[in-house]
Amino acid sequence: MMNAADSLDDLMARCALRDQRAFAELYRRSSGRLLAVAMRIVRRRDWAEDVLQESFVNIWNHVNDYSRAKSAPMTWMTAIVRNRALDWARRPKHETSDEDLEGIIENWEDAAPGPATRLVQAGDARQLDECLGELSGGQRQSIALAYMHGLSHSELADHLGEPLGTVKTWIRRGLEKLRGCLESKGA
Amino acid sequence: MKITDANARTLLAAEYVLGTLKGKARDRFELWLRSDPGLRKEVAAWQGSFEPLTNRLPEMQPSEHVWRRIEARIQPRPAPRESWFANLAFWRASSFASAAAAALLFGYIALTPKDHALTPDNAMVVVMADEKANPAVTVAWQTEQRTAPRLRVRVIGHQEMAPDTSWELWMLPGGDQPPRSLGLITTHDTQYVVIPAEMMAKLLQSAGLAMSIEPKYGSPTGLPTGPVIYSGKRLEI
């Protein structure tokens, strides 16, 4: 029987043994967040649900690889969903209009978590926030938009109104700084 | 191919995780990932670092039909209607690899004077290639072997096997037939796999071979359960 105490790790292990009830439970617990992840990137609910469907079939088929991924279950599943969503968004017929993108950029500007949110976040989330906080505005914004919304270099350049080279440099320098900062905090 | 500069590796891994590594560069990176456990670690580290960004997203409730469709697709199917290997995305690439690798093969088979197990006469060969059509593993055998038929397997380049996994070799009978296991192989440059005589007869009629990544002691089901990373068609030489 499933019970609430089963960790996602336990569920993954049982999925590897082809336990479909464990898989149903894994879906019940994680699909809400993963749909939100896909939605940010493909920007249409029906597409995001297609991505979610493909991703879970993939998760079921490749759950044996999970052990060698050596990451937390949610991290592993998020990576699968993001990869699917990125592939999906980059097929020419799935590109979304510019108005959608404008909306995203505007929303992102308000999306920084407030002080209350900060308090309840896990330690590593705080580290990431602090390290993102050390980047320049352009660096932070382009990295966050790329990660959350799957924007490519050229989409970022178009929508931030900066030359492509500038955006590429922001990302590269930003990632270098971020890595240094996360390492110094022991992440 | 390897990326050696540590800083470049980290940055590439980060841009892969971000998604700003696109198109061919992304495909190439994914290929490196398969044979480079250190690079997989870099990727996992970045995925872990960025995950808090998605952690705080408000959850959305997926429509009912999403789970129903997933459930329908994960039911074990007793008799697949479509041939199992017709769907391998890289099956197409392998015929190209076969042609491109013909010269290479000849080298492997004919120019090994110390090895008397195989001569170029009446030999068969399968060049298993990755999805980019790069030859990765070759399997060759003599068409007439009276006792203890065996296959010579050569692993090209220095490939690494992930811990707690195994590589399983499969015969693809062709048509609607499911693959048949030929056993596990190692990463050794040259190795021999002994197979039953009845399997040898089937092998002579087979469409080709494939290799999948399986749990430590091989597929628990008798069919590939992990990703099929290499495949190739059977050629007579």
Side-chain angles (χ1 to χ4, degrees), chain A residues 96-168:
Chain A
T96 37
S97 67
D98 282 4
E99 296 85 75
D100 293 337
L101 281 172
E102 296 301 343
I104 286 165
I105 308 256
E106 278 161 31
N107 288 334
W108 175 260
E109 282 162 5
D110 309 327
T117 328
R118 274 169 180 265
L119 283 177
V120 296
Q121 272 161 22
D124 56 351
R126 198 166 60 236
Q127 282 173 353
L128 179 68
D129 275 350
E130 283 168 10
C131 290
L132 283 172
E134 289 181 11
L135 307 185
S136 75
Q139 289 171 347
R140 182 171 55 248
Q141 202 178 21
S142 34
I143 288 175
L145 284 169
Y147 183 81
M148 295 299 285
H149 299 283
L151 297 198
S152 65
H153 286 136
S154 51
E155 284 169 323
L156 286 167
D158 281 354
H159 296 280
L160 297 171
E162 295 287 341
L164 187 60
T166 306
V167 168
K168 284 186 177 174

Side-chain angles (χ1 to χ4, degrees), chain B residues 145-164:
Chain B
Q145 297 189 37
R146 306 216 175 260
T147 52
R150 59 185 199 160
L151 311 176
R152 187 176 69 187
V153 178
R154 306 202 72 167
V155 177
I156 300 172
H158 298 283
Q159 301 185 45
E160 289 175 62
M161 191 184 292
D164 297 323

Side-chain angles (χ1 to χ4, degrees), chain B residues 27-183:
Chain B
D27 295 342
R28 208 178 317 126
F29 185 85
E30 285 182 341
L31 207 61
W32 287 332
L33 265 189
R34 288 195 200 155
S35 59
D36 191 334
L39 202 57
R40 283 202 293 275
K41 257 191 209 159
E42 292 273 4
V43 165
W46 280 110
Q47 284 165 345
S49 298
F50 280 122
E51 213 214 321
L53 288 176
T54 45
N55 269 342
R56 62 185 74 153
L57 287 176
E59 296 200 357
M60 294 170 69
Q61 181 69 39
S63 314
E64 291 283 318
H65 68 252
V66 179
W67 173 248
R68 284 202 305 273
R69 287 177 191 167
I70 293 168
E71 221 180 0
R73 287 178 60 186
I74 64 165
Q75 297 308 320
R77 261 163 265 157
R81 304 214 64 196
E82 211 172 341
S83 76
W84 175 85
F85 58 89
N87 287 329
L88 294 181
F90 42 82
W91 187 248
R92 277 168 284 130
S94 70
S95 58
F96 168 69
S98 305
L104 176 87
L105 292 177
F106 200 74
Y108 277 121
I109 291 166
L111 306 176
T112 322
K114 282 184 194 154
D115 186 351
H116 300 293
L118 286 169
T119 60
D121 312 317
N122 303 318
M124 290 213 179
V125 69
V126 176
V127 187
M128 292 196 287
D130 61 32
E131 60 188 3
K132 295 292 175 302
N134 299 310
V137 174
T138 66
V139 180
W141 67 93
Q142 199 76 357
T143 49
E144 284 172 42
Q145 297 189 37
R146 306 216 175 260
T147 52
R150 59 185 199 160
L151 311 176
R152 187 176 69 187
V153 178
R154 306 202 72 167
V155 177
I156 300 172
H158 298 283
Q159 301 185 45
E160 289 175 62
M161 191 184 292
D164 297 323
T165 63
S166 63
W167 287 359
E168 191 154 355
L169 197 61
W170 302 92
M171 174 185 71
L172 307 173
D176 286 348
Q177 309 230 33
R180 298 273 306 264
S181 176
L182 294 172

Side-chain angles (χ1 to χ4, degrees), chain A residues 26-27 37 40 43 53 68-69 73 77 84 91 98 109 115 120 132 137 146 150 155 159 172 175 184:
Chain A
L26 185 72
Y27 177 85
V37 170
R40 290 295 181 290
R43 298 164 211 157
Q53 182 190 320
R68 72 180 180 135
M77 291 193 288
R84 281 267 161 193
R91 286 178 210 152
D98 282 4
E109 282 162 5
V120 296
L132 283 172
E155 284 169 323
H159 296 280
R172 203 169 51 239
L175 288 169
S184 73

